[in-house]
Amino acid sequence: MGAGTEPRGAAPEGAVYLDHNATTPLAPEVARAVQDALRQAWGNASSLHPAGRKAKELVGGARESLARMVGGRPEDIIFTSGGTEANNMVIHTACRHFREGRAGLGGSRGTPHIVTSSVEHDSVRRPLEQLVKERRAEATFVPVSPGSGQAEVDDVLAAIQPTTCLVSIMLANNETGVIMPVAELSQHLRAVNQRRAGQGLPRVLLHTDAAQMVGKGRVDVQELGVDYLTIVGHKFYGPRIGALYVRGPGTSTPLHPMLFGGGQERGFRPGTENTAMIAGLGQAAELVSKNWEAYEAHMRDVRDYLEARLEASFGKQRIRLNSHFTGSKRLCNTSNFSILGPGLQGRRVLAACKTLQASVGAACHAEEGDRPSSILLSCGIPYEVAQNALRLSVGRDTTRADVDRAVQDLVQAVAQLDQDQAP
């Protein structure tokens, strides 16, 4: 069934929801897992009586499911409130680990330095900007290549300084869908760290925010070679909590808590466990582990059909596919495009649509008016093209019939706006 008819609450009846990169509806299996946990595992997972043991068992099972989904070990998974907390935890951990190492060397290392890209999510960019403002860290925001839409490995490596303690590069961009060369970067970082060890320099840790990639493609922490990986439930039909993969937390890889309390999550993330949401996250992970290849194939087929219908309906000269970069892979479900012409700013087009629900870019930038996406501008998209951009992201249940309705809606919206522009 298509989005808008499936009883998942994805969109009002008659609407076509193509904003799955912003959030996804709960899968029915996930909703059932949450409801079952609320009824049957209401105990405190730290309590020793049967109700507490039931909750602890459920949390442990979910941890195993998430580990299986990303190719890690259960002890490498730390539950968090979401991706923002996980990303902040990594950044603050890297800085604290650097400062502790500096103190051990008599304070001779300087200020911690972090390398990231110019197209990261705000939950990476803004903590870094705040730390820089407070003079507690230094940061380099490596621009993406206009040719590939990627943060190029050579550029990231060139930004590393003696005081660098962390590289944080997202696995896939939420607006363009471009997949970053994280596995290749990790291979080079291993050699860099071997040299640094001989020079008495701190190890450079590697983090990737995999919020957009999980459920849409293969995610394996062993293949990626990362120290940290951020998991966000509501991006893959799960609840609005998240998790952080850490390669040997507190042993092989440093991890410092941002909160202090009752010692839950081995003290790394204290606070009574949100058992029902954790159960839902575990079920969402199970669905991904079993079905990700089918999900990916379906979404790619529908996404490609969408782009073909756009070009057929508007003409290739009027459609600019902003997420096409030669040689770069992209998410199976994401299409960023502009309908060229005056007065067709993305927000105006969406406002004129009657059934399509989509975004001009990241949902967290929804209040920025007609200012073009900084991510698209960073990718070399011209200002007037970026201003007209729309991001359509299909889901597991999106059908070709949904696409037909969405494109028809866009056609009528553009016709209306063109008529308004006519003298």
Side-chain angles (χ1 to χ4, degrees):
M1 299 178 72
T5 58
E6 184 79 6
R8 296 180 179 225
E13 185 176 354
V16 179
Y17 182 79
L18 297 183
D19 203 18
H20 292 84
N21 281 8
T23 199
T24 54
L26 280 184
E29 301 91 336
V30 172
R32 284 195 294 271
V34 171
Q35 291 165 358
D36 289 346
L38 286 170
R39 289 194 302 265
Q40 302 170 14
W42 47 265
N44 189 318
S46 298
S47 299
L48 299 179
H49 48 62
R53 290 199 298 270
K54 174 68 174 176
K56 184 175 182 179
E57 178 183 336
L58 189 151
V59 170
R63 199 184 309 277
E64 291 176 1
S65 294
L66 263 76
R68 187 159 45 246
M69 179 178 71
V70 299
R73 304 173 304 168
E75 56 266 35
D76 295 333
I77 300 296
I78 308 295
F79 291 112
T80 67
S81 62
T84 294
E85 182 187 345
N87 288 344
N88 275 259
M89 187 183 294
V90 170
I91 290 167
H92 286 279
T93 284
C95 290
R96 179 175 166 182
H97 184 65
F98 176 91
R99 287 192 294 269
E100 289 179 351
R102 179 187 62 186
L105 294 176
S108 60
R109 280 188 176 175
T111 304
H113 173 253
I114 294 173
V115 178
T116 189
S117 81
S118 62
V119 297
E120 296 296 312
H121 189 268
D122 277 356
S123 57
V124 168
R125 180 176 64 85
R126 289 188 174 180
L128 289 176
E129 289 176 346
Q130 185 64 29
L131 287 168
V132 170
K133 181 179 178 181
E134 296 171 359
R135 298 184 179 179
R136 295 166 58 197
E138 296 175 344
T140 299
F141 294 84
V142 175
V144 296
S145 165
S148 67
Q150 295 179 333
E152 299 286 0
V153 170
D154 288 345
D155 294 337
V156 174
L157 295 174
I160 292 175
Q161 303 174 11
T163 54
T164 301
C165 58
L166 177 71
V167 171
S168 179
I169 302 292
M170 61 180 13
L171 194 48
N173 185 263
N174 50 315
E175 292 194 29
T176 64
V178 169
I179 297 171
M180 301 294 175
V182 173
E184 181 185 353
L185 175 61
S186 73
Q187 293 174 0
H188 287 274
L189 266 184
R190 278 195 290 272
V192 168
N193 279 328
Q194 287 177 353
R195 292 196 298 271
R196 289 170 70 92
Q199 299 167 347
L201 295 175
R203 170 185 167 200
V204 179
L205 300 161
L206 179 59
H207 166 245
T208 190
D209 180 348
Q212 292 295 338
M213 190 70 172
V214 173
K216 302 169 190 170
R218 181 173 173 81
V219 177
D220 187 300
V221 293
Q222 308 306 325
E223 294 179 3
L224 291 171
V226 294
D227 298 297
Y228 309 97
L229 182 139
T230 296
I231 300 166
V232 181
H234 73 100
K235 304 295 187 180
F236 58 100
Y237 294 77
R240 286 180 181 166
I241 64 166
L244 179 65
Y245 161 83
V246 185
R247 187 186 300 276
T251 54
S252 302
T253 304
L255 184 65
H256 296 292
M258 294 181 65
L259 305 172
F260 297 87
Q264 293 87 353
E265 292 298 286
R266 289 158 283 161
F268 295 122
R269 205 290 184 182
T272 303
E273 295 88 348
N274 191 348
T275 308
M277 295 301 106
I278 289 173
L281 188 63
Q283 182 59 57
E286 283 294 318
L287 292 173
V288 169
S289 294
K290 294 174 183 176
N291 304 303
W292 72 266
E293 290 174 302
Y295 294 155
E296 182 182 32
H298 170 75
M299 287 188 279
R300 178 176 287 110
D301 175 75
V302 176
R303 190 273 316 274
D304 290 349
Y305 179 73
L306 165 65
E307 293 183 346
R309 291 288 296 122
L310 286 168
E311 291 186 336
S313 299
F314 291 99
K316 289 188 177 182
Q317 299 305 312
R318 203 175 187 190
I319 290 289
R320 205 291 194 176
L321 297 172
N322 302 320
S323 46
H324 283 206
F325 293 90
T326 303
S328 294
K329 295 180 180 179
R330 58 178 173 140
L331 291 173
C332 60
N333 77 319
T334 305
S335 180
N336 192 303
F337 63 93
S338 296
I339 305 171
L340 304 181
L344 298 181
Q345 292 86 356
R347 294 177 197 281
R348 296 192 67 198
V349 172
L350 286 180
C353 286
K354 294 179 170 61
T355 61
L356 173 62
Q357 295 188 345
S359 295
V360 297
C364 48
H365 295 161
E367 304 302 323
E368 293 188 358
D370 285 332
R371 188 155 56 93
S373 161
S374 61
I375 287 177
L376 293 183
L377 295 176
S378 296
C379 292
I381 308 296
Y383 187 97
E384 64 278 6
V385 175
Q387 202 171 32
N388 288 17
L390 295 169
R391 181 193 69 182
L392 271 54
S393 46
V394 307
R396 298 173 187 173
D397 302 306
T398 308
T399 66
R400 290 188 172 206
D402 293 326
V403 167
D404 289 337
R405 291 171 56 219
V407 173
Q408 183 180 9
D409 197 19
L410 284 169
V411 168
Q412 71 80 25
V414 170
Q416 175 188 323
L417 292 171
D418 282 344
Q419 185 175 6
D420 292 344
Q421 292 285 319

